[in-house]
Amino acid sequence: MQSFDCIVDNISIFKHKALQWATSFEVACFFDSNGYEDRYSSYTAVIAAGVKTEFAPQPGEAFSGLGNFLKDHPSFTPGFMCYDLKNELESLRSENPDLLHFPDMYFFVPQHLILIKENTVEILSEQPALFEEINACIPTFNSLQFDGELQATLSREEYIRKVDRIKEHILRGDIYEMNFCQQFYAKAEQLDPLAAFIKLNETSPAPFSSFFKLRDKFIMSSSPERFIKKSGTKVISQPIKGTAPRGANETEDELLKRTLQQNDKEIAENVMIVDLVRNDLTKSALPGSVKVEELCEIYSFQQVHQMISTVTSQVARNTDVVEIISNAFPMGSMTGAPKVRAMELIEEFEETKRGIYSGAVGYFDEQQNFDFNVVIRSLIYNQSNRFVSFQVGSAITFASDAALEYKECMLKAKAMLEVLSR
């Protein structure tokens, strides 16, 4: 591909035009940091469109096949990994109902790639006039039409009963933390995925927002969480555990933030997962290189305050990049600990297959670096059967109050509910 650099005065309008242009392709993706400051970020935004070649593996061949695919095609390669790849890594199963039908893994080498750093746009394409073509687009702002009736797989009462049963497993010593999720869903005869993503991104802008179109399947994500990134020989993971609402005014907001920062239960949950992530990174790391750079720091987003820790490690230059990811997958913040037993109980207590929810979306670059989010705070849509859903969850420990955990789930659902309000 040829490379072209341009300076753009209004990057927000250009991003909108480029996303609108990209969605005309059967396969496209858009990753947006939404202006959040992140010392580990490589790009302000990324847009990829069109397929040169793609990788959608057979069951049981995802991680091994991905390694070969990346070696055969050393280029910028976006894609996603579903939570249920756990079955390839451990002796686990996924037998709960699934109406979204996403492949467990998908990656593609794009025909056109747009890399944005602040107001500098780099276009990699065989189409030399692509910047002019995109810039000539007239951005449309379609209002979102949604005609579905949202339903929940669990009532509040059913959720509370299940949390109490999970706590019995904790009391017996089977686990000490489990991420328990529930699904909201609808049949939607009218749903414009692009309009839904734009509304979600306006309602809840986040540093790891993503839009992914795989033909008839769509991911519309406002994720605040990084799963794992590799930059040179450094690996970074930033698990989230601990959530509080934003206040109605500055005084209330600071109080809520400080209360979260001092909440012993939330701190304990975060530390448990930090220990799990440290163990996951150690499997690929140089001895003694795993460090906790931030522990239980509070980050503020438009909808919520979040407690985030940053765990890093160093890897040898020849370390297999797919192995780094598979050693940490699925992310501990979405499973619990001990990890395998928590995933067994997730399968038992949850009502639906997770699929891409609590999986990861991101990219590998040609230098074998990578960056992947955690697919949370996301709308997932199958256009063929008109099924749209989102899932929300929280960490259950012995100290959990089931009613408060349900309230936390509904706080996390707020942005998606607002997007799909009628």
Side-chain angles (χ1 to χ4, degrees):
M1 288 196 287
Q2 300 179 54
S3 177
F4 312 90
D5 288 353
C6 314
I7 303 296
V8 175
D9 291 333
N10 191 322
I11 204 67
S12 179
I13 291 176
F14 179 81
K15 285 193 297 184
H16 187 105
K17 291 178 177 181
L19 175 58
Q20 185 175 299
W21 162 83
T23 56
S24 66
F25 291 82
E26 284 197 332
V27 177
C29 64
F30 173 63
F31 308 141
D32 192 3
S33 67
N34 280 302
Y36 280 92
E37 291 186 9
D38 172 13
R39 66 182 182 274
Y40 299 115
S41 181
S42 299
Y43 303 104
T44 302
V46 172
I47 302 107
V51 175
K52 278 188 174 180
T53 185
E54 59 189 347
F55 176 70
Q58 295 298 312
E61 300 175 0
F63 287 109
S64 59
L66 177 60
N68 293 330
F69 183 78
L70 294 173
K71 288 171 187 172
D72 293 342
H73 305 283
S75 55
F76 196 100
T77 308
F80 63 76
M81 300 173 283
C82 287
Y83 167 82
D84 301 280
L85 286 168
K86 65 184 173 61
N87 305 334
E88 185 172 310
L89 301 170
E90 305 287 350
S91 182
L92 296 167
R93 58 191 173 83
S94 297
E95 296 176 355
N96 288 325
D98 172 30
L99 289 175
L100 290 163
H101 308 302
F102 273 65
D104 281 345
M105 179 183 282
Y106 179 82
F107 284 87
F108 73 106
V109 176
Q111 293 175 326
H112 312 284
L113 178 64
I114 302 170
L115 304 174
I116 300 174
K117 296 181 181 180
E118 297 180 346
N119 67 336
T120 300
V121 176
E122 180 184 5
I123 296 180
L124 295 96
S125 172
E126 297 301 333
Q127 195 171 324
L130 187 56
F131 175 78
E132 289 76 12
E133 180 184 331
I134 293 171
N135 221 26
C137 289
I138 299 173
T140 57
F141 297 88
N142 295 334
S143 60
L144 180 62
Q145 303 295 320
F146 175 67
D147 59 351
E149 290 287 345
L150 269 177
Q151 302 177 64
T153 52
L154 293 174
S155 67
R156 181 179 181 277
E157 293 72 23
E158 289 169 330
Y159 174 90
I160 288 172
R161 282 197 295 271
K162 289 203 173 202
V163 168
D164 288 339
R165 287 172 55 203
I166 292 166
K167 288 175 67 176
E168 291 174 9
H169 283 277
I170 296 171
L171 183 63
R172 290 202 296 265
D174 294 340
I175 52 171
Y176 50 88
E177 181 174 344
M178 176 183 140
N179 189 274
F180 177 50
C181 302
Q182 58 180 314
Q183 184 188 65
F184 294 79
Y185 65 95
K187 279 280 190 175
E189 293 302 321
Q190 294 183 48
L191 182 64
D192 178 344
L194 179 56
F197 171 72
I198 290 171
K199 185 175 179 181
L200 179 62
N201 205 34
E202 290 172 349
T203 304
S204 181
F208 302 103
S209 293
S210 59
F211 177 91
F212 206 109
K213 175 186 179 182
L214 175 57
R215 300 182 176 92
D216 65 337
K217 298 173 180 66
F218 295 85
I219 303 165
M220 298 153 274
S221 177
S222 61
S223 175
E225 184 171 0
R226 170 179 278 129
F227 164 40
I228 195 167
K229 176 182 174 73
K230 175 180 174 287
S231 180
T233 59
K234 187 170 185 174
V235 176
I236 305 106
S237 184
Q238 295 181 292
I240 291 178
K241 273 287 163 273
T243 304
R246 296 300 304 262
N249 54 56
E250 188 175 340
T251 302
E252 183 185 6
D253 198 52
E254 279 301 312
L255 177 61
L256 289 165
K257 183 178 178 179
R258 193 161 58 250
T259 301
L260 174 61
Q261 198 164 30
Q262 298 169 355
N263 187 310
D264 290 341
K265 172 188 169 291
E266 303 281 23
I267 291 169
E269 289 178 8
N270 196 294
V271 169
M272 287 180 199
I273 299 307
V274 165
D275 284 343
L276 191 157
V277 171
R278 288 174 66 239
N279 181 66
D280 286 347
L281 295 190
T282 297
K283 297 171 188 175
S284 307
L286 292 171
S289 70
V290 177
K291 292 181 171 52
V292 180
E293 292 192 358
E294 292 180 305
L295 184 63
C296 300
E297 293 292 326
I298 306 302
Y299 287 70
S300 298
F301 304 98
Q302 190 156 309
Q303 298 283 338
V304 293
H305 299 294
Q306 301 275 198
M307 186 179 286
I308 303 177
S309 293
T310 300
V311 187
T312 66
S313 67
Q314 293 289 330
V315 295
R317 291 199 175 274
N318 60 351
T319 304
D320 183 271
V321 292
V322 176
E323 186 178 303
I324 296 169
I325 292 173
S326 64
N327 281 339
F329 193 87
M331 57 294 300
S333 62
M334 297 306 296
T335 59
K339 198 171 191 178
V340 174
R341 183 61 179 137
M343 289 190 287
E344 290 174 344
L345 291 172
I346 286 168
E347 179 68 17
E348 177 182 336
F349 281 97
E350 293 184 1
E351 299 285 326
T352 55
K353 184 178 179 180
R354 286 195 179 181
I356 187 59
Y357 173 73
S358 73
V361 174
Y363 65 85
F364 295 92
D365 71 16
E366 57 274 19
Q367 282 84 41
Q368 296 285 282
N369 296 313
F370 56 74
D371 201 0
F372 287 89
N373 76 356
V374 179
V375 181
I376 53 175
R377 322 290 162 83
S378 303
L379 295 168
I380 314 297
Y381 182 45
N382 183 318
Q383 197 168 44
S384 293
N385 64 11
R386 303 295 182 181
F387 188 81
V388 62
S389 83
F390 65 87
Q391 297 191 50
V392 288
S394 66
I396 309 303
T397 66
F398 185 69
S400 292
D401 179 311
L404 292 178
E405 296 295 344
Y406 186 82
K407 186 177 180 180
E408 180 178 323
C409 287
M410 297 311 294
L411 172 62
K412 292 172 178 175
K414 183 181 175 184
M416 286 82 74
L417 289 171
E418 187 174 328
V419 170
L420 298 181
S421 62
R422 300 176 63 186

